[in-house]
Amino acid sequence: MRIARILATLIACLAALLPAPSRAEPLRIAAAADLRFALDEILRDFRARHPGAEVEAIYGSSGKFHAQIRQGAPFDLFLSADVELPRQLAAEGLSAGPARTYAFGRLAIWSPGPLRPTDLRDLADPAFRRIAIANPRHAPYGRRAEEALRAAGIWDKVEPRLVLGENIAQATQFVQSGNADAGILALSLVLAPGMAGTGNHALVPETLHRPLEQGFVILRRAAGNALAHRFAGDFLSAASRRVLQRHGFTAPD
């Protein structure tokens, strides 16, 4: 009995010295801000089908995520509002495969009222004292908004009145909070809970800007991560495509 107690004590001491088993890190997704509501729904469905799967989505500016990933930020997938950004990462050897197009976004003018813009050129009216767009320097929706304003011939009239959001979600908040009278926003956010059915919105003709082709890529650090590949396949599924379409995105051919 004494020997057994000594052995048990030794085993307990050795166990205490051994490192605790490491818990698997959650799958980290860097996602464009326009995806928030659609991706939240897709993730709920994914978790229901894969109990125990830990997936974390961080929303923000595609341009800023691109820069952070190039500097080594620990993301596993990058869901961008501009397919060119994941394509660049793939060309630089920072991905586990090629970039894939998952949807096309749409621009919409939105105003809480009483002003009711029905055409982009309406924003040239000085009555719209502040107009929100995402920052064109690092947000794809901001770049397309600038392209549309230039194509409509009103950029010079509108530029002094622009308020720039760090991403399209912040630009939307500027209009919702009354800090802007109107915004050139993502249709996916205009149709989101809390905004759908409120205010006034009109689509910006796609002929006024380059397509908002949105793409994603599995990043190099997740090359051997089965959960990352499983999510990628699920994200391209017909079910996920229907969710994206319901939130204002257009499916690729």
Side-chain angles (χ1 to χ4, degrees), residues 34-110:
D34 68 314
L35 282 173
R36 176 178 292 276
F37 297 96
L39 185 58
D40 280 354
E41 184 175 338
I42 290 170
L43 285 174
R44 281 196 299 270
D45 294 341
F46 182 77
R47 293 185 186 107
R49 287 192 300 275
H50 303 281
E54 292 192 50
V55 187
E56 177 186 10
I58 299 93
Y59 297 99
S61 160
S62 296
K64 288 195 170 183
F65 280 140
H66 176 259
Q68 291 168 7
I69 291 165
R70 294 182 73 196
Q71 294 166 8
F75 293 115
D76 300 297
L77 289 101
F78 176 35
L79 277 54
S80 172
D82 185 347
V83 70
E84 288 304 320
L85 298 178
R87 282 175 180 164
Q88 289 172 18
L89 295 176
E92 294 171 16
L94 296 176
S95 76
R100 302 285 299 276
T101 298
Y102 62 85
F104 288 85
R106 289 297 307 269
L107 282 175
I109 313 162
W110 188 81

Side-chain angles (χ1 to χ4, degrees), residues 105-126:
R106 289 297 307 269
L107 282 175
I109 313 162
W110 188 81
S111 171
L115 299 171
R116 296 174 176 266
T118 59
D119 184 272
L120 197 64
R121 293 173 183 83
D122 292 343
L123 299 180
D125 187 337

Side-chain angles (χ1 to χ4, degrees), residues 187-245:
L187 179 62
S188 60
L189 298 182
V190 170
L191 298 179
M195 285 188 68
T198 67
N200 313 281
H201 84 269
L203 289 174
V204 174
E206 293 179 287
T207 54
L208 294 180
H209 60 82
R210 288 177 293 155
L212 272 159
E213 183 178 1
Q214 307 200 184
F216 83 100
V217 72
I218 299 174
L219 296 168
R220 185 172 60 191
R221 82 180 221 125
N225 188 323
L227 184 60
H229 290 273
R230 195 177 307 142
F231 175 81
D234 192 271
F235 189 57
L236 292 174
S237 70
S240 292
R241 179 173 293 188
R242 286 192 293 271
V243 173
L244 289 165
Q245 288 175 317

